[in-house]
Amino acid sequence: MKEPTKILGDERRAFILSRLQESREPITGSELASITNVSRQVIVGDITLLKARNEPIIATSQGYIYMHASNPTGAVRTIACSHTPERTEEELILLVDHGITIKDVKIEHPVYGDLTASIMVSNRYKVKQFMEKIRATNASYLSELTEGIHLHTISAPTEKALDEAEEALRKAHFLVDLE
């Protein structure tokens, strides 16, 4: 029985780039490794090289995503939140139930400055996947480094949707009042 052939170097990176550009869903490093018959660690290196070539690839908890240039449709906003780790899932569900995409979480670290992690969740299923990954890896939340205070970049089809989500966060005592 013939063993699958490895896709090598530049050809593999071109293949990975093409797959990411064609997909609207994240693709895991393990999936890419399986398709190209290399280790996941090789894929991590390939992604790093592609990013160094200014390819807009981001790593999310669900896998790699190619960030296509898009028309600025919809609304984007940064919000300041504060809560304990136990309320993270509640916060995320509240937002996605208002039609919001949570793009990232940011904190201001006293040594490293601004730290940002991509989240990219837009529905309950993706929130569930995100939370399962946190639990499975026993990962800490960035907000644990700042006593619960963090920022989110959020987007929605309309400013009204963002306003409604913000009001719901305020009522649930998630929002940090900046006034």
Side-chain angles (χ1 to χ4, degrees), residues 79-88 91 105-108 141-152 173-176:
I79 56 171
C81 297
S82 180
H83 58 79
T84 62
E86 295 78 24
R87 293 194 72 199
T88 300
E91 173 201 45
V105 59
K106 298 176 188 176
I107 63 162
E108 186 178 325
Y141 298 100
L142 283 182
S143 62
E144 290 181 77
L145 298 172
T146 56
E147 298 180 3
I149 297 173
H150 58 284
L151 303 174
H152 286 298
H173 304 288
F174 284 115
L175 216 54
V176 174

Side-chain angles (χ1 to χ4, degrees), residues 32 38 56 85 112:
L32 292 169
V38 297
Y112 301 114

Side-chain angles (χ1 to χ4, degrees), residues 4-163:
T5 307
K6 287 183 184 178
I7 301 176
L8 301 175
D10 287 336
E11 182 183 349
R12 184 181 58 246
R13 285 183 285 281
F15 174 81
I16 291 168
L17 184 60
S18 175
R19 285 295 292 258
L20 290 172
Q21 288 172 331
E22 292 167 5
S23 179
R24 294 291 173 207
E25 295 295 318
I27 304 173
T28 67
S30 297
E31 288 175 70
L32 292 169
S34 177
I35 295 167
T36 58
N37 198 30
V38 297
S39 71
R40 192 185 71 71
Q41 195 55 42
V42 169
I43 298 299
V44 170
D46 286 341
I47 296 293
T48 300
L49 289 172
L50 289 168
K51 286 180 178 183
R53 294 180 191 162
N54 293 318
E55 293 294 346
I57 299 169
I58 62 167
T60 72
S61 60
Q62 296 92 28
Y64 297 109
I65 299 175
Y66 187 88
M67 297 304 293
H68 297 275
S70 61
N71 296 331
T73 57
V76 177
R77 186 176 297 174
T78 300
I79 56 171
C81 297
S82 180
H83 58 79
T84 62
E86 295 78 24
R87 293 194 72 199
T88 300
E89 188 168 11
E90 180 186 352
E91 173 201 45
L92 297 177
I93 287 173
L94 185 151
L95 286 167
V96 300
D97 282 356
H98 280 83
I100 304 298
T101 296
I102 303 107
K103 293 177 172 252
D104 60 30
V105 59
K106 298 176 188 176
I107 63 162
E108 186 178 325
H109 190 275
V111 175
Y112 301 114
D114 290 341
L115 297 178
T116 304
S118 176
I119 296 179
M120 296 305 286
V121 296
S122 56
N123 58 50
R124 282 180 176 242
Y125 178 72
K126 288 186 179 184
V127 169
K128 181 182 174 204
Q129 285 182 310
F130 176 78
M131 296 305 298
E132 285 174 357
K133 191 154 196 177
I134 291 283
R135 291 181 193 109
T137 60
N138 203 26
S140 297
Y141 298 100
L142 283 182
S143 62
E144 290 181 77
L145 298 172
T146 56
E147 298 180 3
I149 297 173
H150 58 284
L151 303 174
H152 286 298
T153 306
I154 59 174
S155 65
T158 66
E159 287 288 337
K160 182 178 183 214
L162 291 176
D163 292 341

